[in-house]
Amino acid sequence: MDKLIIKGGKELFGSVEIGGAKNAAVAVLPAAIMASKSICVIDNIPEIEDIQCEERIIESLGCKITRVKNSVTIDSTMLKSVKADTDDVRKMRASYYLIGALLGRFKKASVELPGGCPIGVRPIDQHIKGFEALGARVNIEHGTIIVEADRLIGTNIYFDVVSVGATINVMLAATLAEGTTVLENAAKEPHVVDVANFLNTMGANIKGAGTDVIRIVGVKELIGCNYSVIPDQIEAGTYMVAAAACGGSVTINNVIPKHLESISAKLVEMGAEVIELDDSVTVKSKKNLKGVNIKTLPYPGFPTDVQQPMSTLLCVSQGRSIINESIFECRFKHIDELKKMGAHIKVEGRIAIIDGVKKLTGAVVKASDLRAGAAMVIAGLIAEGSTEVTSIEHIDRGYPHIENKFKALGADIVRASQD
Ligand code: UD1
Protein backbone atom coordinates (compact mmCIF):
# COMPACT_ATOMS: atom_id res chain seq x y z
CA MET A 1 0.00 0.00 0.00
CA ASP A 2 1.14 3.52 -0.78
CA LYS A 3 0.93 6.88 0.93
CA LEU A 4 1.41 10.45 -0.25
CA ILE A 5 3.91 12.74 1.46
CA ILE A 6 3.17 16.41 0.93
CA LYS A 7 5.14 19.47 2.01
CA GLY A 8 2.53 22.19 2.04
CA GLY A 9 2.54 25.89 1.36
CA LYS A 10 3.30 26.06 -2.36
CA GLU A 11 1.08 28.12 -4.65
CA LEU A 12 -0.06 26.28 -7.78
CA PHE A 13 0.64 27.55 -11.31
CA GLY A 14 0.23 26.05 -14.77
CA SER A 15 -2.27 23.73 -16.39
CA VAL A 16 -3.71 20.28 -15.76
CA GLU A 17 -5.46 17.89 -18.18
CA ILE A 18 -8.66 16.28 -16.92
CA GLY A 19 -9.35 12.63 -17.74
CA GLY A 20 -12.55 10.93 -18.82
CA ALA A 21 -15.43 10.90 -16.35
CA LYS A 22 -15.16 7.99 -13.92
CA ASN A 23 -18.88 7.88 -13.24
CA ALA A 24 -19.68 7.84 -16.96
CA ALA A 25 -16.98 5.32 -17.87
CA VAL A 26 -18.04 2.84 -15.17
CA ALA A 27 -21.50 2.75 -16.78
CA VAL A 28 -20.41 2.92 -20.43
CA LEU A 29 -18.24 -0.23 -20.11
CA PRO A 30 -21.15 -2.39 -18.85
CA ALA A 31 -23.39 -0.81 -21.51
CA ALA A 32 -20.87 -1.92 -24.15
CA ILE A 33 -21.43 -5.59 -23.26
CA MET A 34 -24.97 -5.21 -24.61
CA ALA A 35 -23.60 -5.19 -28.18
CA SER A 36 -24.10 -8.81 -29.21
CA LYS A 37 -22.64 -8.88 -32.72
CA SER A 38 -19.88 -6.25 -32.95
CA ILE A 39 -17.22 -4.49 -30.90
CA CYS A 40 -17.17 -1.11 -29.14
CA VAL A 41 -14.14 1.19 -29.14
CA ILE A 42 -14.38 3.70 -26.32
CA ASP A 43 -11.94 6.60 -25.91
CA ASN A 44 -11.16 8.84 -22.93
CA ILE A 45 -11.48 6.01 -20.41
CA PRO A 46 -9.57 7.14 -17.30
CA GLU A 47 -6.62 5.12 -15.97
CA ILE A 48 -7.98 4.47 -12.48
CA GLU A 49 -8.36 1.40 -10.29
CA ASP A 50 -12.18 1.31 -10.50
CA ILE A 51 -11.96 0.96 -14.28
CA GLN A 52 -9.28 -1.75 -14.11
CA CYS A 53 -11.45 -3.56 -11.59
CA GLU A 54 -14.49 -3.33 -13.85
CA GLU A 55 -12.50 -4.47 -16.88
CA ARG A 56 -11.47 -7.61 -14.96
CA ILE A 57 -15.11 -8.29 -14.04
CA ILE A 58 -16.24 -7.90 -17.65
CA GLU A 59 -13.44 -10.21 -18.83
CA SER A 60 -14.57 -12.79 -16.26
CA LEU A 61 -17.93 -12.90 -18.09
CA GLY A 62 -16.21 -13.95 -21.32
CA CYS A 63 -15.63 -10.58 -23.05
CA LYS A 64 -12.32 -9.61 -24.62
CA ILE A 65 -10.89 -6.23 -23.63
CA THR A 66 -7.86 -4.52 -25.09
CA ARG A 67 -6.53 -1.14 -23.99
CA VAL A 68 -4.23 1.26 -25.82
CA LYS A 69 -3.63 4.24 -23.54
CA ASN A 70 -7.08 5.70 -22.86
CA SER A 71 -8.84 3.77 -25.61
CA VAL A 72 -10.60 0.53 -24.66
CA THR A 73 -11.94 -2.04 -27.12
CA ILE A 74 -14.62 -4.40 -25.86
CA ASP A 75 -15.58 -7.50 -27.79
CA SER A 76 -18.63 -9.00 -26.12
CA THR A 77 -19.70 -11.19 -29.01
CA MET A 78 -18.54 -14.31 -27.11
CA LEU A 79 -20.09 -13.26 -23.79
CA LYS A 80 -21.73 -16.30 -22.23
CA SER A 81 -21.86 -15.92 -18.45
CA VAL A 82 -24.48 -13.80 -16.70
CA LYS A 83 -22.84 -14.39 -13.33
CA ALA A 84 -20.54 -11.74 -11.85
CA ASP A 85 -19.20 -13.08 -8.57
CA THR A 86 -15.48 -12.30 -8.35
CA ASP A 87 -13.87 -10.35 -5.48
CA ASP A 88 -13.69 -7.33 -7.78
CA VAL A 89 -17.50 -7.09 -7.92
CA ARG A 90 -17.61 -6.43 -4.17
CA LYS A 91 -14.88 -3.78 -4.38
CA MET A 92 -16.72 -1.21 -6.47
CA ARG A 93 -20.11 0.44 -6.51
CA ALA A 94 -20.70 0.54 -10.24
CA SER A 95 -20.54 -3.24 -10.70
CA TYR A 96 -24.32 -2.97 -10.22
CA TYR A 97 -24.60 -1.65 -13.80
CA LEU A 98 -23.92 -5.21 -14.95
CA ILE A 99 -27.38 -6.12 -13.63
CA GLY A 100 -29.17 -3.73 -16.01
CA ALA A 101 -26.85 -4.57 -18.92
CA LEU A 102 -27.11 -8.37 -18.54
CA LEU A 103 -30.84 -8.23 -17.84
CA GLY A 104 -31.34 -6.20 -21.03
CA ARG A 105 -29.29 -8.52 -23.23
CA PHE A 106 -29.96 -11.96 -21.68
CA LYS A 107 -33.07 -11.30 -19.54
CA LYS A 108 -31.05 -12.73 -16.66
CA ALA A 109 -28.30 -11.55 -14.31
CA SER A 110 -26.67 -12.79 -11.14
CA VAL A 111 -24.38 -10.17 -9.59
CA GLU A 112 -22.90 -9.97 -6.11
CA LEU A 113 -24.06 -6.91 -4.18
CA PRO A 114 -21.73 -3.98 -4.82
CA GLY A 115 -19.12 -2.31 -2.59
CA GLY A 116 -17.80 1.23 -3.05
CA CYS A 117 -17.22 4.18 -0.72
CA PRO A 118 -18.61 3.82 2.84
CA ILE A 119 -20.53 7.11 2.74
CA GLY A 120 -23.99 5.94 3.75
CA VAL A 121 -26.45 3.05 3.61
CA ARG A 122 -26.66 3.23 -0.21
CA PRO A 123 -29.73 1.02 -0.81
CA ILE A 124 -30.60 -0.21 -4.32
CA ASP A 125 -34.37 -0.40 -3.80
CA GLN A 126 -35.03 2.02 -6.68
CA HIS A 127 -32.99 -0.14 -9.08
CA ILE A 128 -35.02 -3.18 -7.98
CA LYS A 129 -38.30 -1.27 -8.26
CA GLY A 130 -37.41 -0.38 -11.85
CA PHE A 131 -36.40 -3.92 -12.85
CA GLU A 132 -39.57 -5.34 -11.31
CA ALA A 133 -41.71 -2.75 -13.09
CA LEU A 134 -40.19 -3.95 -16.38
CA GLY A 135 -41.36 -7.47 -15.52
CA ALA A 136 -38.30 -8.99 -13.86
CA ARG A 137 -38.30 -11.22 -10.78
CA VAL A 138 -35.68 -10.08 -8.28
CA ASN A 139 -34.24 -12.21 -5.46
CA ILE A 140 -31.33 -11.59 -3.13
CA GLU A 141 -29.64 -14.81 -1.99
CA HIS A 142 -26.35 -15.12 -0.08
CA GLY A 143 -25.31 -11.58 -0.98
CA THR A 144 -26.08 -11.98 -4.67
CA ILE A 145 -28.86 -10.26 -6.57
CA ILE A 146 -30.53 -12.56 -9.08
CA VAL A 147 -32.76 -10.92 -11.66
CA GLU A 148 -34.72 -12.84 -14.30
CA ALA A 149 -37.48 -12.07 -16.78
CA ASP A 150 -39.33 -14.01 -19.47
CA ARG A 151 -39.85 -10.71 -21.29
CA LEU A 152 -39.07 -7.11 -20.38
CA ILE A 153 -42.04 -4.85 -21.13
CA GLY A 154 -41.74 -1.05 -21.18
CA THR A 155 -43.75 0.89 -18.59
CA ASN A 156 -43.86 4.14 -16.58
CA ILE A 157 -41.53 4.23 -13.57
CA TYR A 158 -41.53 7.06 -11.03
CA PHE A 159 -38.39 7.02 -8.86
CA ASP A 160 -39.00 7.88 -5.19
CA VAL A 161 -35.55 9.48 -4.91
CA VAL A 162 -33.35 11.05 -7.54
CA SER A 163 -30.72 8.35 -8.08
CA VAL A 164 -27.93 8.37 -10.64
CA GLY A 165 -27.40 4.62 -10.28
CA ALA A 166 -31.07 3.64 -10.53
CA THR A 167 -31.67 5.95 -13.51
CA ILE A 168 -28.75 4.50 -15.49
CA ASN A 169 -29.34 0.89 -14.46
CA VAL A 170 -33.03 0.84 -15.37
CA MET A 171 -32.27 2.77 -18.59
CA LEU A 172 -29.81 0.02 -19.58
CA ALA A 173 -32.40 -2.74 -19.16
CA ALA A 174 -35.23 -0.71 -20.73
CA THR A 175 -33.16 -0.09 -23.87
CA LEU A 176 -33.74 -3.72 -24.91
CA ALA A 177 -37.29 -4.03 -23.49
CA GLU A 178 -40.42 -4.30 -25.64
CA GLY A 179 -42.31 -1.01 -26.03
CA THR A 180 -41.80 2.32 -24.31
CA THR A 181 -40.43 2.99 -20.83
CA VAL A 182 -40.79 6.42 -19.23
CA LEU A 183 -38.49 7.18 -16.27
CA GLU A 184 -39.80 10.03 -14.13
CA ASN A 185 -37.89 11.89 -11.41
CA ALA A 186 -34.77 10.73 -13.22
CA ALA A 187 -31.26 11.96 -12.35
CA LYS A 188 -29.92 14.69 -14.67
CA GLU A 189 -26.17 14.32 -14.07
CA PRO A 190 -23.86 14.76 -17.09
CA HIS A 191 -22.88 11.09 -16.86
CA VAL A 192 -26.54 10.03 -17.20
CA VAL A 193 -26.64 12.00 -20.46
CA ASP A 194 -23.33 10.51 -21.58
CA VAL A 195 -24.53 6.93 -21.06
CA ALA A 196 -27.76 7.72 -22.96
CA ASN A 197 -25.71 9.22 -25.81
CA PHE A 198 -23.52 6.11 -25.89
CA LEU A 199 -26.55 3.81 -25.98
CA ASN A 200 -28.11 5.90 -28.76
CA THR A 201 -24.86 5.61 -30.73
CA MET A 202 -25.27 1.82 -30.31
CA GLY A 203 -28.75 2.05 -31.84
CA ALA A 204 -30.94 2.70 -28.79
CA ASN A 205 -33.85 5.14 -28.85
CA ILE A 206 -33.56 7.31 -25.72
CA LYS A 207 -34.88 10.86 -25.47
CA GLY A 208 -34.92 13.34 -22.59
CA ALA A 209 -31.69 12.39 -20.78
CA GLY A 210 -30.58 15.49 -18.88
CA THR A 211 -34.19 16.28 -17.91
CA ASP A 212 -36.16 14.53 -15.20
CA VAL A 213 -38.25 12.55 -17.70
CA ILE A 214 -36.44 10.03 -19.90
CA ARG A 215 -38.38 8.20 -22.63
CA ILE A 216 -36.91 4.95 -23.94
CA VAL A 217 -38.38 3.10 -26.92
CA GLY A 218 -37.03 -0.44 -26.74
CA VAL A 219 -35.01 -1.79 -29.67
CA LYS A 220 -34.27 -5.40 -30.63
CA GLU A 221 -30.49 -5.21 -30.50
CA LEU A 222 -27.57 -2.87 -29.94
CA ILE A 223 -24.55 -2.71 -32.19
CA GLY A 224 -20.93 -1.83 -31.46
CA CYS A 225 -19.74 1.73 -32.04
CA ASN A 226 -16.92 4.22 -31.49
CA TYR A 227 -17.43 6.65 -28.64
CA SER A 228 -15.54 9.09 -26.42
CA VAL A 229 -16.50 9.59 -22.76
CA ILE A 230 -17.07 13.13 -21.42
CA PRO A 231 -14.47 14.81 -19.16
CA ASP A 232 -14.66 14.20 -15.42
CA GLN A 233 -16.68 16.91 -13.68
CA ILE A 234 -15.51 15.81 -10.23
CA GLU A 235 -11.80 15.56 -11.03
CA ALA A 236 -12.02 19.04 -12.61
CA GLY A 237 -13.89 20.39 -9.57
CA THR A 238 -11.23 18.96 -7.27
CA TYR A 239 -8.41 20.79 -9.11
CA MET A 240 -10.49 24.00 -9.14
CA VAL A 241 -10.92 23.81 -5.37
CA ALA A 242 -7.22 22.97 -4.88
CA ALA A 243 -6.22 26.03 -6.93
CA ALA A 244 -8.54 28.24 -4.90
CA ALA A 245 -7.16 26.84 -1.63
CA CYS A 246 -3.45 26.97 -2.49
CA GLY A 247 -3.52 30.30 -4.33
CA GLY A 248 -1.94 30.91 -7.72
CA SER A 249 -3.39 30.42 -11.20
CA VAL A 250 -4.37 27.05 -12.64
CA THR A 251 -5.93 26.29 -16.01
CA ILE A 252 -7.97 23.11 -16.01
CA ASN A 253 -8.12 21.77 -19.56
CA ASN A 254 -10.43 19.26 -21.27
CA VAL A 255 -13.55 20.18 -19.30
CA ILE A 256 -17.13 21.13 -20.11
CA PRO A 257 -17.48 24.44 -18.17
CA LYS A 258 -21.29 24.09 -18.08
CA HIS A 259 -20.89 20.95 -15.91
CA LEU A 260 -18.81 22.97 -13.44
CA GLU A 261 -21.15 25.94 -12.98
CA SER A 262 -22.22 25.16 -9.40
CA ILE A 263 -18.55 24.90 -8.37
CA SER A 264 -17.45 27.99 -10.32
CA ALA A 265 -20.30 30.01 -8.79
CA LYS A 266 -19.26 29.05 -5.22
CA LEU A 267 -15.60 29.88 -5.86
CA VAL A 268 -16.57 33.27 -7.30
CA GLU A 269 -18.84 33.88 -4.29
CA MET A 270 -15.80 33.19 -2.10
CA GLY A 271 -13.69 35.75 -3.95
CA ALA A 272 -11.71 33.62 -6.42
CA GLU A 273 -11.61 34.47 -10.11
CA VAL A 274 -12.91 31.83 -12.54
CA ILE A 275 -12.38 32.34 -16.28
CA GLU A 276 -14.32 30.00 -18.56
CA LEU A 277 -13.33 29.25 -22.15
CA ASP A 278 -14.82 26.62 -24.50
CA ASP A 279 -13.08 23.62 -22.94
CA SER A 280 -11.12 25.02 -20.01
CA VAL A 281 -11.54 26.96 -16.80
CA THR A 282 -8.82 29.00 -15.12
CA VAL A 283 -8.99 29.55 -11.37
CA LYS A 284 -7.01 32.45 -9.91
CA SER A 285 -6.89 32.90 -6.17
CA LYS A 286 -5.03 35.04 -3.65
CA LYS A 287 -6.07 32.65 -0.82
CA ASN A 288 -7.86 33.87 2.34
CA LEU A 289 -11.21 33.55 0.60
CA LYS A 290 -14.58 34.24 2.22
CA GLY A 291 -16.50 31.37 3.86
CA VAL A 292 -19.81 30.30 2.24
CA ASN A 293 -22.70 27.95 2.87
CA ILE A 294 -23.13 24.84 0.72
CA LYS A 295 -25.95 22.38 0.29
CA THR A 296 -25.24 19.30 -1.81
CA LEU A 297 -27.98 18.50 -4.30
CA PRO A 298 -28.53 16.40 -7.43
CA TYR A 299 -27.27 18.04 -10.66
CA PRO A 300 -27.34 20.95 -11.43
CA GLY A 301 -26.91 21.56 -7.69
CA PHE A 302 -23.57 21.44 -5.88
CA PRO A 303 -22.19 17.87 -6.27
CA THR A 304 -21.83 15.78 -3.12
CA ASP A 305 -18.58 14.42 -4.58
CA VAL A 306 -16.98 17.89 -4.39
CA GLN A 307 -18.30 18.56 -0.88
CA GLN A 308 -15.32 16.89 0.79
CA PRO A 309 -12.57 18.74 -1.16
CA MET A 310 -14.57 21.95 -0.69
CA SER A 311 -14.76 21.51 3.07
CA THR A 312 -10.94 21.63 3.22
CA LEU A 313 -11.00 24.99 1.44
CA LEU A 314 -13.66 26.27 3.86
CA CYS A 315 -11.40 25.32 6.83
CA VAL A 316 -9.02 28.13 5.87
CA SER A 317 -11.62 30.61 4.60
CA GLN A 318 -12.71 33.65 6.58
CA GLY A 319 -15.64 33.36 8.99
CA ARG A 320 -18.21 30.63 9.41
CA SER A 321 -19.30 28.22 6.66
CA ILE A 322 -22.10 25.71 6.89
CA ILE A 323 -22.26 22.53 4.81
CA ASN A 324 -25.55 20.67 4.47
CA GLU A 325 -24.87 17.19 3.03
CA SER A 326 -28.31 16.27 1.73
CA ILE A 327 -27.38 13.22 -0.40
CA PHE A 328 -25.35 10.83 1.78
CA GLU A 329 -25.70 10.50 5.56
CA CYS A 330 -22.06 9.52 6.33
CA ARG A 331 -20.03 11.80 4.15
CA PHE A 332 -18.13 13.60 6.90
CA LYS A 333 -15.50 10.97 7.73
CA HIS A 334 -12.74 13.33 6.55
CA ILE A 335 -13.73 15.90 9.18
CA ASP A 336 -11.93 14.12 12.06
CA GLU A 337 -8.81 14.01 9.91
CA LEU A 338 -9.06 17.73 9.14
CA LYS A 339 -9.40 18.40 12.87
CA LYS A 340 -6.04 16.63 13.42
CA MET A 341 -4.59 19.36 11.23
CA GLY A 342 -6.10 22.17 13.30
CA ALA A 343 -9.45 22.72 11.59
CA HIS A 344 -12.38 24.01 13.67
CA ILE A 345 -15.39 21.96 12.63
CA LYS A 346 -18.49 20.74 14.43
CA VAL A 347 -20.67 18.06 12.85
CA GLU A 348 -24.34 17.69 13.74
CA GLY A 349 -25.97 14.95 11.66
CA ARG A 350 -25.79 16.04 8.05
CA ILE A 351 -24.59 19.56 8.92
CA ALA A 352 -20.96 20.60 9.33
CA ILE A 353 -20.23 24.01 10.84
CA ILE A 354 -16.77 25.22 9.92
CA ASP A 355 -15.08 28.21 11.56
CA GLY A 356 -12.20 29.31 9.37
CA VAL A 357 -8.68 29.19 10.85
CA LYS A 358 -5.56 31.00 9.59
CA LYS A 359 -3.67 27.78 8.82
CA LEU A 360 -3.70 23.98 8.93
CA THR A 361 -0.64 22.12 10.16
CA GLY A 362 0.78 18.89 8.69
CA ALA A 363 -0.15 15.53 10.26
CA VAL A 364 -0.53 11.85 9.41
CA VAL A 365 -4.07 11.51 8.09
CA LYS A 366 -6.13 8.82 6.39
CA ALA A 367 -8.09 8.78 3.14
CA SER A 368 -11.28 7.14 4.45
CA ASP A 369 -12.93 7.11 1.02
CA LEU A 370 -12.28 8.38 -2.50
CA ARG A 371 -13.30 12.04 -2.21
CA ALA A 372 -12.22 12.22 1.44
CA GLY A 373 -8.80 11.31 0.10
CA ALA A 374 -8.86 14.27 -2.29
CA ALA A 375 -9.87 16.49 0.63
CA MET A 376 -6.84 15.31 2.61
CA VAL A 377 -4.47 15.88 -0.32
CA ILE A 378 -5.70 19.48 -0.61
CA ALA A 379 -5.31 19.85 3.16
CA GLY A 380 -1.71 18.65 2.85
CA LEU A 381 -1.05 21.09 0.01
CA ILE A 382 -2.11 24.10 2.11
CA ALA A 383 -0.81 22.96 5.51
CA GLU A 384 2.30 24.20 7.23
CA GLY A 385 4.93 21.44 7.31
CA SER A 386 4.66 17.84 6.17
CA THR A 387 1.48 15.76 5.77
CA GLU A 388 1.24 12.03 5.12
CA VAL A 389 -1.98 10.80 3.54
CA THR A 390 -2.38 7.06 4.08
CA SER A 391 -4.81 4.50 2.57
CA ILE A 392 -4.49 6.18 -0.81
CA GLU A 393 -5.82 3.10 -2.60
CA HIS A 394 -9.14 4.95 -2.20
CA ILE A 395 -7.74 7.94 -4.13
CA ASP A 396 -6.34 5.67 -6.86
CA ARG A 397 -9.85 4.33 -7.45
CA GLY A 398 -10.89 7.65 -8.98
CA TYR A 399 -8.02 10.13 -9.58
CA PRO A 400 -5.55 9.27 -12.36
CA HIS A 401 -1.90 10.11 -11.51
CA ILE A 402 -2.87 12.60 -8.81
CA GLU A 403 0.65 13.18 -7.48
CA ASN A 404 2.08 13.77 -10.97
CA LYS A 405 -0.66 16.26 -11.82
CA PHE A 406 -0.12 18.27 -8.62
CA LYS A 407 3.68 18.04 -8.99
CA ALA A 408 3.40 19.53 -12.48
CA LEU A 409 1.53 22.48 -10.91
CA GLY A 410 4.43 23.10 -8.49
CA ALA A 411 3.32 21.08 -5.46
CA ASP A 412 5.83 19.18 -3.34
CA ILE A 413 4.18 15.75 -3.28
CA VAL A 414 5.61 12.24 -3.57
CA ARG A 415 4.23 8.72 -3.43
CA ALA A 416 5.95 6.28 -1.11
CA SER A 417 5.30 2.80 0.17
CA GLN A 418 3.21 2.79 3.33
CA ASP A 419 5.31 -0.05 4.71
C1 UD1 B 1 -23.44 8.04 -7.85
C2 UD1 B 1 -21.97 8.30 -8.01
C3 UD1 B 1 -21.39 8.94 -6.77
C4 UD1 B 1 -22.17 10.18 -6.40
C5 UD1 B 1 -23.67 9.90 -6.35
C6 UD1 B 1 -24.51 11.15 -6.18
C7 UD1 B 1 -21.32 6.54 -9.52
C8 UD1 B 1 -20.59 5.24 -9.71
N1 UD1 B 1 -21.32 7.02 -8.28
O1 UD1 B 1 -23.58 7.13 -6.77
O2 UD1 B 1 -20.04 9.28 -7.03
O3 UD1 B 1 -21.75 10.64 -5.13
O4 UD1 B 1 -24.10 9.28 -7.57
O5 UD1 B 1 -24.26 12.06 -7.20
O6 UD1 B 1 -21.85 7.12 -10.45
N2 UD1 B 1 -30.81 5.89 -3.08
C9 UD1 B 1 -31.87 5.17 -2.58
N3 UD1 B 1 -32.26 4.04 -3.25
C10 UD1 B 1 -31.65 3.63 -4.40
C11 UD1 B 1 -30.59 4.37 -4.90
C12 UD1 B 1 -30.18 5.51 -4.23
O7 UD1 B 1 -32.45 5.51 -1.54
O8 UD1 B 1 -32.07 2.60 -4.95
C13 UD1 B 1 -30.38 7.12 -2.38
C14 UD1 B 1 -28.93 7.03 -1.89
O9 UD1 B 1 -28.85 6.40 -0.62
C15 UD1 B 1 -28.53 8.48 -1.85
C16 UD1 B 1 -29.30 9.09 -3.04
O10 UD1 B 1 -30.35 8.17 -3.33
O11 UD1 B 1 -28.98 9.08 -0.67
C17 UD1 B 1 -28.47 9.30 -4.27
O12 UD1 B 1 -27.80 8.09 -4.61
P1 UD1 B 1 -27.38 7.73 -6.10
O13 UD1 B 1 -27.58 8.93 -6.97
O14 UD1 B 1 -28.04 6.46 -6.48
O15 UD1 B 1 -25.84 7.49 -5.92
P2 UD1 B 1 -24.96 6.36 -6.60
O16 UD1 B 1 -25.51 6.00 -7.93
O17 UD1 B 1 -24.71 5.27 -5.60
Side-chain angles (χ1 to χ4, degrees):
M1 271 202 282
D2 288 349
K3 63 183 175 186
L4 292 171
I5 304 170
I6 307 166
K7 291 205 176 75
K10 295 248 164 72
E11 295 197 329
L12 302 181
F13 290 95
S15 62
V16 58
E17 298 297 316
I18 297 305
K22 163 187 169 285
N23 288 347
V26 293
V28 161
L29 295 185
I33 71 167
M34 295 170 79
S36 46
K37 294 198 185 116
S38 46
I39 61 167
C40 289
V41 181
I42 308 155
D43 291 331
N44 212 24
I45 296 286
E47 290 177 78
I48 51 174
E49 180 50 33
D50 263 12
I51 289 292
Q52 283 162 14
C53 189
E54 197 170 53
E55 287 174 356
R56 290 192 295 269
I57 300 169
I58 291 173
E59 280 173 332
S60 77
L61 300 176
C63 299
K64 195 165 168 254
I65 297 191
T66 44
R67 179 188 263 272
V68 181
K69 292 187 180 159
N70 288 333
S71 178
V72 171
T73 302
I74 301 189
D75 180 350
S76 52
T77 54
M78 307 296 279
L79 194 164
K80 294 266 163 10
S81 174
V82 295
K83 204 168 169 188
D85 59 359
T86 59
D87 283 348
D88 286 320
V89 182
R90 289 182 292 273
K91 279 192 207 154
M92 64 179 300
R93 184 83 193 145
S95 50
Y96 58 30
Y97 290 135
L98 289 165
I99 308 169
L102 291 167
L103 180 65
R105 178 164 166 189
F106 296 104
K107 311 292 170 268
K108 190 172 177 184
S110 167
V111 177
E112 289 225 16
L113 288 167
C117 286
I119 52 179
V121 184
R122 307 189 85 175
I124 57 166
D125 57 301
Q126 297 303 304
H127 305 232
I128 293 173
K129 169 177 159 167
F131 297 142
E132 286 179 337
L134 292 173
R137 300 175 294 281
V138 181
N139 283 303
I140 296 179
E141 290 170 13
H142 308 293
T144 297
I145 177 162
I146 301 156
V147 185
E148 277 177 276
D150 303 322
R151 295 163 68 191
L152 293 175
I153 314 272
T155 184
N156 278 30
I157 300 164
Y158 191 98
F159 291 117
D160 302 330
V161 293
V162 178
S163 161
V164 170
T167 302
I168 293 178
N169 224 347
V170 179
M171 183 167 77
L172 290 172
T175 297
L176 289 174
E178 296 167 42
T180 300
T181 301
V182 181
L183 305 180
E184 292 184 72
N185 201 23
K188 297 181 277 199
E189 267 67 3
H191 32 290
V192 174
V193 180
D194 205 39
V195 179
N197 287 343
F198 174 62
L199 289 166
N200 282 340
T201 312
M202 292 171 85
N205 183 347
I206 303 172
K207 293 199 171 81
T211 75
D212 47 20
V213 181
I214 301 178
R215 182 178 293 271
I216 305 154
V217 180
V219 295
K220 285 219 155 42
E221 65 172 0
L222 295 174
I223 45 170
C225 68
N226 286 20
Y227 195 74
S228 184
V229 166
I230 53 165
D232 197 305
Q233 173 204 22
I234 307 303
E235 191 196 10
T238 303
Y239 284 95
M240 290 171 75
V241 171
C246 294
S249 173
V250 176
T251 298
I252 295 129
N253 288 322
N254 183 35
V255 299
I256 299 174
K258 173 111 191 96
H259 296 168
L260 302 170
E261 271 173 354
S262 62
I263 304 159
S264 302
K266 273 295 156 197
L267 295 181
V268 169
E269 194 182 327
M270 295 179 76
E273 193 183 345
V274 180
I275 303 156
E276 292 181 3
L277 295 179
D278 282 353
D279 62 356
S280 73
V281 290
T282 298
V283 177
K284 295 185 181 186
S285 159
K286 294 194 171 76
K287 298 191 266 188
N288 299 319
L289 302 177
K290 214 169 47 174
V292 288
N293 297 337
I294 283 173
K295 181 170 184 179
T296 62
L297 287 168
Y299 188 82
F302 193 91
T304 170
D305 285 356
V306 184
Q307 175 265 110
Q308 289 156 301
M310 190 69 173
S311 59
T312 302
L313 168 60
L314 296 177
C315 286
V316 289
S317 299
Q318 294 165 34
R320 175 165 283 191
S321 303
I322 297 176
I323 297 178
N324 181 342
E325 172 51 67
S326 83
I327 310 283
F328 291 111
E329 62 275 23
C330 293
R331 212 161 197 182
F332 284 140
K333 289 197 178 137
H334 60 301
I335 297 290
D336 280 342
E337 304 300 295
L338 287 171
K339 282 186 185 172
K340 287 184 195 163
M341 301 176 75
H344 286 187
I345 311 174
K346 195 169 157 204
V347 175
E348 286 176 8
R350 288 168 176 247
I351 307 286
I353 302 159
I354 304 179
D355 285 314
V357 292
K358 285 228 153 33
K359 63 174 186 190
L360 297 180
T361 51
V364 178
V365 289
K366 189 175 160 190
S368 56
D369 60 73
L370 169 58
R371 309 300 170 187
M376 298 328 298
V377 170
I378 296 173
L381 293 173
I382 56 178
E384 187 182 272
S386 180
T387 296
E388 285 189 18
V389 184
T390 63
S391 300
I392 62 165
E393 63 279 5
H394 290 293
I395 300 177
D396 292 334
R397 285 187 35 228
Y399 289 94
H401 316 296
I402 191 165
E403 73 276 20
N404 296 342
K405 290 188 182 187
F406 275 122
K407 215 180 282 175
L409 294 172
D412 187 340
I413 176 170
V414 289
R415 181 182 285 258
S417 164
Q418 202 160 303
D419 311 322

